[in-house]
Amino acid sequence: MAVDTLFSLVMFISTMVLNKDKNTLITATCSKTPNYPLCVATLQSDPRSSAAGADIETLGLVMVSAVKARATEVTQAIPPLKVAKPEWGQPLSQCYFYYDAVLRADVPEAEMALKRGVPKFAEAGMADAAVEAASCDAAFKDNGITESPLKDFNKNVVELSGVATSIIKMLL
């Protein structure tokens, strides 16, 4: 019985030490990004960030996944908006095109580059994702609509991409 208790205690302490090391990696990494709270919240919400063997490359992949998830949400939000507001059809179509590029080109480029150890291409993919999101907002302004209905989505993608880019630059 005492051996079981001792084993459990050793396992608990080991887990605490490993979690502390992972939280240290997250906080140290996020402190070098433009949005510390967003970085920490995003990384802590994904189990890959605290898994054994997690490193900066893994944190970069987690951030790229977050960009992908948010871009997917935008593309899913666009068709109902087109139905509800047909007068927004042109800028919404442009936004769909921009986010489709994020999902079909920028995110896969970043994922592949990180997995292959070529972070400069991952950095380029995430930087381009931010440009695409900003272009979505501009599409509304260019069509005489003062505020994009996707403003919050776009802002979040720009911020997530900025954090991802900062983390990826740590690998250069």
Side-chain angles (χ1 to χ4, degrees):
M1 195 78 144
V3 173
D4 289 338
T5 305
L6 181 60
F7 180 74
S8 295
L9 181 61
V10 169
M11 291 304 296
F12 175 75
I13 291 170
S14 297
T15 302
M16 294 302 290
V17 169
L18 288 174
N19 285 341
K20 183 179 182 268
D21 288 347
K22 294 305 166 193
N23 283 334
T24 301
L25 176 64
I26 291 170
T27 56
T29 302
C30 290
S31 69
K32 298 173 188 168
T33 68
N35 192 329
Y36 179 84
L38 177 65
C39 180
V40 170
T42 303
L43 294 177
Q44 287 182 341
S45 71
D46 190 306
R48 292 177 292 171
S49 300
S50 58
D55 54 12
I56 294 177
E57 178 185 310
T58 302
L59 301 184
L61 284 166
V62 169
M63 291 307 299
V64 170
S65 292
V67 170
K68 180 180 182 178
R70 201 63 169 156
T72 300
E73 287 179 45
V74 177
T75 60
Q76 292 170 348
I78 290 173
L81 278 172
K82 279 179 139 179
V83 171
K85 294 283 194 170
E87 65 272 19
W88 292 348
Q90 178 63 30
L92 285 170
S93 292
Q94 289 176 271
C95 287
Y96 191 89
F97 174 79
Y98 295 135
Y99 278 103
D100 189 56
V102 170
L103 293 171
R104 290 180 186 261
D106 301 329
V107 166
E109 174 187 22
E111 289 172 333
M112 218 176 341
L114 284 171
K115 290 175 183 174
R116 291 184 177 167
V118 191
K120 70 179 181 176
F121 293 117
E123 177 189 6
M126 286 297 93
D128 194 49
V131 170
E132 301 288 5
S135 296
C136 175
D137 273 338
F140 284 91
K141 289 180 184 147
D142 292 346
N143 283 278
I145 301 164
T146 55
E147 190 170 298
S148 165
L150 301 172
K151 178 181 81 170
D152 293 336
F153 281 113
N154 295 332
K155 181 180 183 234
N156 192 240
V157 171
V158 168
E159 290 173 348
L160 285 168
S161 297
V163 170
T165 301
S166 295
I167 291 172
I168 293 164
K169 282 182 179 180
M170 293 175 207
L171 297 168
L172 296 174

